[in-house]
Amino acid sequence: MLTLLSSATSPFARKARIVLAEKKVEFQLVEASPWVADTPVAAANPLCKVPVLTLDDGTHLFDSRVIVDYVDSVSPVARLIPEAARQRVAVRRWEALADGICDALVLAVLEGRRKAAQRNTDWITRQRAKIDAGVAEMARELEDKPWCNGEGYTLADIATGCALGYIDLRYSELDWRDRYPNLAKLAEKLGKRPAFAETAPPAGA
Ligand SMILES: N[C@@H](CCC(=O)N[C@@H](CS)C(=O)NCC(=O)O)C(=O)O
């Protein structure tokens, strides 16, 4: 059976878990922090990051974009990445935007955890500017459409929902629901899907 090394707060791992669930692919979830000394993540991924999907033959797939690509292609159930080139690249662009917001958030959070004397507040401000601009771009592109791309639910919505959920966890001051009601509406709709509800990051983590 497939095994996913995951951490409950990682938006990248959440994206992979949601795609596995939506595609109805069975897998074993293994909770593993990449930050502890004896982490199993290091042996599976030389970059020591989650998520990692281990296949039946022992191959370790990383990062989350490779994992979702693989999972979407192995099962015909509910395609999440369109096949047509323009549509596919539009969905992957949404994913790059959402993942980029999460990357900036991770960097800002790690910097914020440093001792005050070592902390570079300009760096945090720089990362927050990327997050603010990224979310504004999401809202602008979503307009008043029901889904991020095309006529239905895709990886674009999943990646966007995971990024917004991670902002709630780590940067709630952004207040994106009030600023961008179209994103709030999308997030509310996504939150009703079992795959989203079951993978919501633990509050206060
Ligand atoms: N681009 C990677 C990012 C993964 C990532 O940054 N994961 C974080 C958790 S949210 C991690 O494992 N960090 C450990 C580290 O940087 O050492 C992906 O999409 O999978």
Side-chain angles (χ1 to χ4, degrees), residues 9 18 29 33-34 37 65 72 82 93 101 103 106 135 157 177:
T9 54
I18 291 173
L29 183 69
S33 166
R65 295 186 212 187
D72 194 47
R93 183 179 179 279
I101 289 170
D103 284 332
V106 168
V135 175
D157 305 292
R177 283 186 182 75

Side-chain angles (χ1 to χ4, degrees), residues 70-114:
Y70 174 75
V71 173
D72 194 47
S73 65
V74 289
S75 158
V77 177
R79 285 309 293 246
L80 296 169
I81 305 173
E83 279 178 34
R86 273 307 273 271
Q87 292 302 309
R88 188 174 68 242
V89 86
V91 165
R92 299 316 303 245
R93 183 179 179 279
W94 272 98
E95 184 187 24
L97 180 58
D99 283 10
I101 289 170
C102 296
D103 284 332
L105 254 173
V106 168
L107 290 174
V109 167
L110 293 178
E111 193 64 32
R113 286 181 183 161
R114 288 159 74 94

Side-chain angles (χ1 to χ4, degrees), residues 7 9-13 15 32-35 41 45 47-52 62-67 95 99 102-103 106 110 166:
S7 119
T9 54
S10 167
F12 308 102
K15 179 178 55 157
S33 166
W35 298 106
V41 182
N45 177 357
L47 306 174
C48 196
K49 293 185 180 191
V50 288
V52 182
F62 51 86
D63 61 10
S64 65
R65 295 186 212 187
V66 173
I67 294 171
E95 184 187 24
D99 283 10
C102 296
D103 284 332
V106 168
L110 293 178
Y166 196 52

